[in-house]
Amino acid sequence: MFTAAIMMCLMDVERSFETCSVAYGKAKYKTEETCWASINIRVLYFSRYPETTNGHEVAFAKCTSWLPISDNGV
């Protein structure tokens, strides 16, 4: 099980606790590939519609694995 997170920071200022926030995905993914696909879609959306970011930019993204990966891929 994977979850996605995107760290968004205010543009043109030093990155810090006060200027950045992390948006957690509200979904879980069976594979890391689908997790990253979800992140990539969101980042593409932000690049096409920068007005939706309220002056923030993507600083970092991560897919986190919460369970051991099984041998059969399920």
Side-chain angles (χ1 to χ4, degrees):
M1 176 175 63
F2 292 85
T3 57
I6 301 173
M7 184 171 78
M8 302 289 292
C9 297
L10 285 172
M11 293 180 192
D12 302 323
V13 297
E14 185 176 340
R15 293 178 179 167
S16 69
F17 182 82
E18 288 80 21
T19 63
C20 296
S21 61
V22 177
Y24 290 98
K26 297 182 190 289
K28 61 183 180 180
Y29 305 92
K30 286 186 177 184
T31 68
E32 187 173 12
E33 290 79 15
T34 56
C35 179
W36 277 110
S38 173
I39 287 175
N40 291 335
I41 289 168
R42 188 54 126 182
V43 170
L44 181 60
Y45 177 82
F46 291 149
S47 70
R48 288 188 178 164
Y49 304 100
E51 64 276 7
T52 64
T53 65
N54 294 320
H56 289 74
E57 63 186 344
V58 175
F60 186 75
K62 182 177 183 179
C63 285
T64 301
S65 175
W66 295 98
L67 298 170
I69 298 171
S70 66
D71 290 337
N72 62 6
V74 178

